[in-house]
Amino acid sequence: MAHLITNCTFSASPAVKTFSGSPSYCCNVGKLQNSKSLNLSLKSSSKREKKSYVTCASAAVQGQTQTPLTGSQEASGHSSSKPKKVMVIGGDGYCGWATALHLSNKGYEVAIVDNLVRRLFDHQLGLDSLTPITSIQNRIRRWKSLTGKTIQLFIGDICDFDFLSEAFKSFEPDAAVHFGEQRSAPYSMIDRSRAVYTQHNNVIGTLNVLFAIKEYSEECHLVKLGTMGEYGTPNIDIEEGFITITHNGRTDTLPYPKQASSFYHLSKVHDSHNIAFTCKAWGIRATDLNQGVVYGVRTDETAMHEELSNRFDYDGVFGTALNRFCVQAAVGHPLTVYGKGGQTRGYLDIRDTVQCVELAIANPAKPGEFRVFNQFTEQFSVNDLAKLVTAAGAKLGLDVHTKSVPNPRVEAEEHYYNAKHTKLIELGLVPHLLSDSLLDSLLNFAVQYKDRVDNAQIMPSVSWKKMGAKPRTVSV
């Protein structure tokens, strides 16, 4: 078992203890698995060790400029000096890190919960972020030194309910933003063990979050990152979560039909069903953000210092389409269009991801309400993106070519696609639309770090039809 070294005192019991010294954030230490132990955990969840190691230090949040409140706080007359407490589960990841900083900067009291397994995936598969990213502890220390704001840190696995319970009881969140899932469709299709891991981690982790809210924080608003991939590509307009149907003379409003296209997307579908059920049964308040494909890397906060940089994936497993195309253009690799390239999806800037999450938190669902927002700003086909990157690259003197490669996925390559996305706009979303200047910025960013690109990781290596039965890993 690999040991995680932190600047705090360990205790073998799950009791919360305090420690002295810098940095002054809460560090709750559960298990961090190495390559061998992760592979074992993929085989059987029944072998999980239940013991958690938890240490904690309380610290006042400094430098607050706003004091957001929950609806229940406002109704009960709580002092406006008390900031709203938001737990960001998966706060070390691509969307989670940017969101945690954004919310902290806006005056929320933030805690990150993460088991750091995403970094382990990179080691196992021989991948690396285009941007150098420092440890989560260094990230939080740097944020504290620059802003005076404290982000608490709980390191552990949300599939371990004992650990998650201690985190909830210690932090007492008003809102829980749930990014803490294996988020890659290709990763879930590598082999049997990773398909099982994806479904177990995502579905059981979300169930644990729901039970933690029910048992320890009944008023907590769950903001869950879903995916537009739950809907598939139907030949009718995609509504926001629900559709009104008239059948045999009777009319009802029902959940929009789901047509998931990977074991990852299927896990998200089951999450949505579990969340909707617990809202009805237990009165939980929840917002399901069905997010499109995210691009970009910088927000106002991550741009403040190199140690706050977000990760930037360009490989065929974790990289998203536009980010991958920009890196390919920067290193002179043909843009890899899968099949006919007519696959159309919703896209949004990482800056809009954090804005959407903030809007959902500031306007919480009612008790027992299950809301679904389609979270994207524009729709593009893969061919559309390739043309945009080619034109933008030419302006920068890059010789950009496009290459059609066999589609590793099982999906329609030409289809109708029109998804509604009005609810977040109505709440005040001001989107950052894809423009020439933004593409120039993304391409320049990719050129800046092109020496870090591993060309061997650019082409797709995971096939939906040929997924393996045994795990393939890189020795660490």
Side-chain angles (χ1 to χ4, degrees):
M1 178 67 70
H3 296 285
L4 177 66
I5 306 301
T6 61
N7 187 23
C8 49
T9 303
F10 283 80
S11 169
S13 71
V16 176
K17 296 177 179 288
T18 61
F19 67 92
S20 60
S22 177
S24 54
Y25 55 81
C26 180
C27 180
N28 293 255
V29 183
K31 298 182 301 175
L32 177 63
Q33 300 158 313
N34 62 11
S35 301
K36 293 181 180 179
S37 63
L38 177 62
N39 287 335
L40 289 173
S41 73
L42 303 187
K43 294 179 181 178
S44 172
S45 63
S46 65
K47 295 182 181 180
R48 286 183 181 274
E49 184 180 350
K50 293 301 181 183
K51 185 184 292 183
S52 297
Y53 297 92
V54 183
T55 58
C56 179
S58 59
V61 178
Q62 304 178 25
Q64 302 285 9
T65 58
Q66 301 181 27
T67 53
L69 296 178
T70 63
S72 60
Q73 286 174 330
E74 291 171 346
S76 61
H78 282 204
S79 169
S80 61
S81 63
K82 182 180 179 181
K84 189 172 183 179
K85 302 172 74 171
V86 181
M87 175 181 286
V88 181
I89 302 169
D92 189 44
Y94 175 50
C95 293
W97 175 243
T99 299
L101 292 189
H102 178 78
L103 294 175
S104 178
N105 203 32
K106 290 292 184 178
Y108 293 86
E109 185 175 344
V110 176
I112 286 175
V113 174
D114 206 297
N115 66 354
L116 311 183
V117 75
R118 176 63 186 83
R119 296 174 184 252
L120 177 58
F121 293 161
D122 277 357
H123 288 300
Q124 287 186 315
L125 299 176
L127 308 176
D128 201 359
S129 166
L130 180 70
T131 50
I133 53 172
T134 188
S135 71
I136 185 63
Q137 291 86 357
N138 286 342
R139 283 174 154 188
I140 289 175
R141 278 193 288 264
R142 178 59 61 186
W143 179 247
K144 172 79 171 181
S145 70
L146 289 171
T147 66
K149 299 177 186 292
T150 297
I151 293 178
Q152 297 185 42
L153 176 62
F154 297 78
I155 298 178
D157 189 347
I158 64 170
C159 288
D160 177 353
F161 190 69
D162 290 340
F163 159 76
L164 186 63
S165 298
E166 291 298 329
F168 261 79
K169 288 187 287 186
S170 174
F171 186 65
E172 299 180 332
D174 300 304
V177 182
H178 185 13
F179 293 107
E181 298 195 310
Q182 193 294 102
R183 56 98 169 165
S184 165
Y187 186 90
S188 75
M189 301 299 293
I190 291 176
D191 50 44
R192 182 203 59 81
S193 66
R194 288 179 173 86
V196 171
Y197 173 81
T198 298
Q199 296 227 344
H200 179 271
N201 180 80
N202 294 2
V203 176
I204 302 305
T206 299
L207 269 176
N208 279 348
V209 172
L210 291 167
F211 272 93
I213 291 173
K214 178 180 182 291
E215 295 186 24
Y216 304 113
S217 189
E218 290 183 349
E219 292 299 314
C220 180
H221 174 210
L222 174 62
V223 179
K224 169 70 167 59
L225 194 76
T227 171
M228 290 297 295
E230 291 186 34
Y231 299 121
T233 53
N235 198 38
I236 59 173
D237 291 353
I238 298 173
E239 304 297 329
E240 296 200 66
F242 301 89
I243 186 169
T244 300
I245 297 175
T246 299
H247 179 64
N248 291 340
R250 302 185 68 84
T251 300
D252 200 356
T253 298
L254 303 169
Y256 195 96
K258 305 298 177 68
Q259 300 182 72
S261 59
S262 73
F263 290 121
Y264 155 73
H265 290 105
L266 286 162
S267 74
K268 291 288 202 176
V269 171
H270 205 56
D271 285 340
S272 295
H273 290 159
N274 283 339
I275 296 169
F277 170 73
T278 55
C279 286
K280 182 186 299 184
W282 301 340
I284 284 176
R285 57 179 81 207
T287 302
D288 203 2
L289 298 176
N290 281 342
Q291 182 166 254
V293 183
V294 185
Y295 60 82
V297 65
R298 283 180 173 159
T299 63
D300 290 344
E301 292 78 23
T302 65
M304 290 171 61
H305 192 278
E306 61 182 6
E307 285 193 320
L308 301 180
S309 291
N310 205 352
R311 67 177 305 116
F312 190 104
D313 298 304
Y314 63 88
D315 58 88
V317 177
F318 290 101
T320 57
L322 185 57
N323 285 352
R324 295 186 68 233
F325 281 177
C326 287
V327 171
Q328 290 167 12
V331 299
H333 192 287
L335 308 187
T336 53
V337 172
Y338 293 173
K340 296 179 181 179
Q343 303 93 320
T344 302
R345 302 289 187 270
Y347 288 80
L348 76 161
D349 191 300
I350 184 69
R351 293 172 293 180
D352 292 337
T353 290
V354 302
Q355 189 184 171
C356 290
V357 172
E358 183 191 359
L359 285 169
I361 294 170
N363 301 275
K366 300 174 183 177
E369 181 183 11
F370 174 65
R371 305 185 303 186
V372 180
F373 297 161
N374 290 345
Q375 183 171 302
F376 69 95
T377 57
E378 297 176 276
Q379 295 180 173
F380 299 103
S381 70
V382 175
N383 286 329
D384 292 335
L385 294 180
K387 290 176 182 177
L388 289 169
V389 173
T390 299
K395 293 179 182 179
L396 297 178
L398 299 174
D399 187 15
V400 184
H401 299 282
T402 298
K403 177 182 180 181
S404 177
V405 301
N407 193 346
R409 305 186 180 213
V410 176
E411 62 184 357
E413 296 176 0
E414 294 176 314
H415 56 84
Y416 176 79
Y417 195 83
N418 184 39
K420 305 295 179 62
H421 58 115
T422 61
K423 293 181 181 178
L424 284 162
I425 298 293
E426 291 168 358
L427 288 180
L429 172 64
V430 181
H432 297 82
L433 301 180
L434 188 60
S435 63
D436 290 344
S437 60
L438 179 56
L439 276 172
D440 289 349
S441 175
L442 276 172
L443 284 167
N444 279 316
F445 186 84
V447 169
Q448 178 185 352
Y449 289 100
K450 69 178 184 179
D451 290 343
R452 289 177 53 85
V453 174
D454 178 2
N455 282 23
Q457 301 295 343
I458 288 178
M459 294 296 291
S461 59
V462 180
S463 170
W464 266 228
K465 292 183 178 180
K466 299 178 182 179
M467 65 182 300
K470 297 180 179 180
R472 292 173 292 176
T473 61
V474 174
S475 297
V476 180

